[in-house]
């Protein structure tokens, strides 16, 4: 039934393509067009986060932005969130692995579109954005602060009145509550970091409207790259939907050795941290009495396959956030495509992903795939 | 456009025909394929087929000789990729052999297979249903 009706829709699309004035310039088949439509619309309509009562609150967003850039949030005034999450680099940075008080094990991920995720961090240590925001504050290798110092900071000094206005006087709050409230203001700010419309989105929206003349503005090379992405590249199995990620965890064949003899357990470790955390959507610190979203932490399965899996990154704005992968081991998009093109099957777990295999793309096909990937980043970048 | 109208008529016919129903009247109910021929009929009424978002289904187990259904297990996997779901679905008995299944998450597009095992007294039967996720 469903399929039959999809065929009818496809039939109409073919008719439109054949009839359209710029017919020769849209290369996609009706099937490819209907799959392209699933990667939008963009930006998505996301409402406020029900677990965070200051989500979407303008004063909290401004407060969160100040805190994000303030090194005084760290133990010794030396590190702020923006030290690693550099605005002009899509809120990531150009070194492979982050440098806190010591070298960390992972690459600093972009914070653009971070509000759209289900799990946070490369391994999904948190199921909500405010819980993820308090990890670097407490981490001894990053800001290395503690709840008591934050409570003192909010009691007097420049932030006292803003804090009191948003949450009530900090003297009434346990230090842990102050920590969570600060994290919620940081989260409110980060939810506003959203990439804009790209040439891909204009193409996709024109296809949806059946405006083939406008769709034909999208370069043919990017269209051929999109066909590889949806087709023989198998990319769209994992990089699904408007943000080009299914939000889940996979093994993309990146080695998980941090150094000889030490491995990054990936999702296996992330689930352990998640299930030990008091700050989940199922815990006492959510502001949503209905505990929406808590199904994920309650129902998530743990299996031995979690080892060495990492969250599928969004591909929007990726041109601005080199280097790539959880360990920053691939310096540019060319290397990422080369990685998938010649993937080392030995590196995949024996019972790992059955869809990754060397693609053997020609040089022209590689260029087309790159043209498509870059077209996901030609929106207006955020200024520093 | 006559060709178009013919397809539309087919579409309507397929809709009206529905499954040959023993104990279900829902037009969207799909009969699941049993492992053994003698097994009682089981129908699935699938919720929206969305990728990587929680969705659900309703299961209808037609009457068993040995009496009331004591339990159902529900899962889904991608045979071509050899992996299942990352979440445990929730199962709620609604009475009269009906079950509401929630928090099914098909995290990749492509062919999935729904698997169900029903127990009633000493009897036990397993079923499958092909489930394409767009």
């Amino acid at each position: 039934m469903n399929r039959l009706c999809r065929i009818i829709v496809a039939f109409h699309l073919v008719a439109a393509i054949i009839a359209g004035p710029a017919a020769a310039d849209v290369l996609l088949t009706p099937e490819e067009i209907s799959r392209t439509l699933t990667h939008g619309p963009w930006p998505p309509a996301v409402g406020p986060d029900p677990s965070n009562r200051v989500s979407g609150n303008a004063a909290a967003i401004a407060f969160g932005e100040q805190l994000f850039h303030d090194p005084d949030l760290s133990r010794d005034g030396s590190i702020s969130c923006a030290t690693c999450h550099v605005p002009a680099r899509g809120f990531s940075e150009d070194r492979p692995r982050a440098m806190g008080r010591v070298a960390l094990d992972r690459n600093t991920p972009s914070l653009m579109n971070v509000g759209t995720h289900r799990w946070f961090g490369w391994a999904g240590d948190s199921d909500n954005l405010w819980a993820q925001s308090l990890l670097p504050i407490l981490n001894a290798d990053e800001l290395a602060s503690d709840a008591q110092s934050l409570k003192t900071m909010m009691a007097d000094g420049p932030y006292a009145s803003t804090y009191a206005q948003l949450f009530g006087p900090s003297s009434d709050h346990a230090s842990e509550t102050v920590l969570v409230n600060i994290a919620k203001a940081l989260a409110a700010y980060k939810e506003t970091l959203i990439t804009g419309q790209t040439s891909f989105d204009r193409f996709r929206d024109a296809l949806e409207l059946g405006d083939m003349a406008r769709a034909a503005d999208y370069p043919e090379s990017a269209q051929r790259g999109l066909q590889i992405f949806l087709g023989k590249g198998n990319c769209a199995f994992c990089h699904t939907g408007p943000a080009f990620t299914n939000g889940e965890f996979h093994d993309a064949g990146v080695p998980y050795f941090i150094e000889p003899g030490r491995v990054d357990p990936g999702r296996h470790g992330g689930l352990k941290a998640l299930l030990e955390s008091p700050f989940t959507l199922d815990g006492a610190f959510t502001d949503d009495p209905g505990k929406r979203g808590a199904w994920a932490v309650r129902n998530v399965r743990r299996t031995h396959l979690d080892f060495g899996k990492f969250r599928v990154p969004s591909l929007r704005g990726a041109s601005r956030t080199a280097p790539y992968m959880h360990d920053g081991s691939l310096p540019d998009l060319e290397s990422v495509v080369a990685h998938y093109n010649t993937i080392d099957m030995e590196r995949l777990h024996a019972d790992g992903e059955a869809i990754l295999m060397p693609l053997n793309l020609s040089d022209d096909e590689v260029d087309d795939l790159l043209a498509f990937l870059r077209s996901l980043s030609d929106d207006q970048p955020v200024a520093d | 456009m006559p060709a178009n109208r013919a397809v539309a008529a087919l579409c309507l016919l397929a809709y009206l025909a529905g499954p040959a129903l023993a104990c279900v009247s829902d037009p969207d109910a799909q009969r699941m394929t049993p492992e053994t021929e003698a097994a009682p009929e089981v129908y699935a009424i699938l919720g929206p087929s969305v990728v990587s978002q929680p969705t659900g289904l309703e299961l209808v187990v037609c009457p068993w000789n040995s009496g009331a259904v004591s339990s159902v297990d529900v899962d889904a996997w991608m045979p071509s990729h050899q992996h299942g779901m990352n979440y445990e679905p929730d199962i709620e008995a609604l009475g009269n052999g009906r079950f509401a299944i929630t928090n099914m998450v098909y995290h990749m597009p492509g062919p999935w297979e729904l698997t169900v095992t029903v127990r009633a007294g000493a009897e036990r039967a397993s079923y499958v249903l092909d489930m394409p996720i767009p």
Side-chain angles (χ1 to χ4, degrees), chain A residues 1-6 8 11-12 118-119 236-238 240 246 248 250 295-296 299-301 352-355, chain B residues 1 4 7-8 10-11 14-15 49 51-54 75 80-81 85-90 103 105 107-109 132:
Chain A
M1 171 70 189
N2 214 339
R3 172 166 299 179
L4 202 54
C5 295
R6 230 185 299 149
I8 299 179
F11 178 83
H12 280 292
R118 175 184 302 148
W119 300 110
F237 275 119
C238 300
T240 63
N246 65 358
E248 291 293 324
H250 291 273
W295 67 271
N299 293 40
V300 69
R301 283 176 170 156
E353 307 290 350
I355 39 173
Chain B
M1 216 183 285
N4 211 356
V7 187
L10 265 177
C11 206
Y15 185 79
S49 47
V51 179
S52 217
Q53 293 298 326
D75 215 333
S80 51
H81 297 175
M85 295 191 296
N86 294 340
Y87 304 87
E88 199 70 51
D90 290 317
N103 296 324
V105 183
H107 63 275
M108 274 188 179

Side-chain angles (χ1 to χ4, degrees), chain A residues 19-181:
Chain A
D25 296 333
V26 171
L27 307 178
L28 275 57
T29 64
E31 169 68 19
E32 287 167 338
I33 290 176
S34 76
R35 295 188 61 196
T36 299
L37 298 187
T38 67
H39 293 287
W42 191 266
V46 266
D49 174 357
S51 74
N52 178 356
R53 67 195 180 287
V54 298
S55 170
N57 173 324
I61 293 167
F63 183 40
E65 181 168 10
Q66 276 180 303
L67 294 169
F68 189 85
H69 292 276
D70 190 350
D72 283 339
L73 211 56
S74 69
R75 187 187 64 211
D76 51 3
S78 65
I79 299 181
S80 75
C81 309
T83 305
C84 300
H85 298 282
V86 183
R89 299 198 58 90
F91 291 82
S92 68
E93 59 177 339
D94 57 6
R95 63 175 89 232
R97 292 184 194 174
M99 180 59 80
R101 291 170 198 280
V102 298
L104 305 183
D105 292 340
R106 293 186 185 152
N107 175 253
T108 304
S110 166
L111 298 183
M112 296 308 295
N113 307 322
V114 72
T116 64
H117 293 302
R118 175 184 302 148
W119 300 110
F120 297 85
W122 285 105
D125 293 24
S126 312
D127 66 351
N128 69 78
L129 190 50
W130 45 270
Q132 183 69 24
S133 307
L134 54 82
L135 298 179
I137 300 179
L138 301 180
N139 185 340
D141 295 334
E142 296 180 68
L143 275 65
S145 189
D146 55 75
Q148 192 50 52
S149 310
L150 295 181
K151 180 166 170 161
T152 308
M153 186 177 173
M154 294 301 136
D156 45 30
Y159 294 130
S161 68
T162 316
Y163 181 95
Q165 222 177 310
L166 282 166
F167 302 106
S170 60
S171 52
D172 292 354
H173 295 159
S175 57
E176 203 173 39
T177 304
V178 174
L179 168 69
V180 171
N181 285 339

Side-chain angles (χ1 to χ4, degrees), chain A residues 216-232:
Chain A
D217 288 346
Y218 190 54
E220 291 197 358
S221 170
Q223 291 189 48
R224 287 190 300 268
L226 168 60
Q227 289 176 307
I228 296 170
F229 189 86
L230 299 171
K232 67 175 170 184

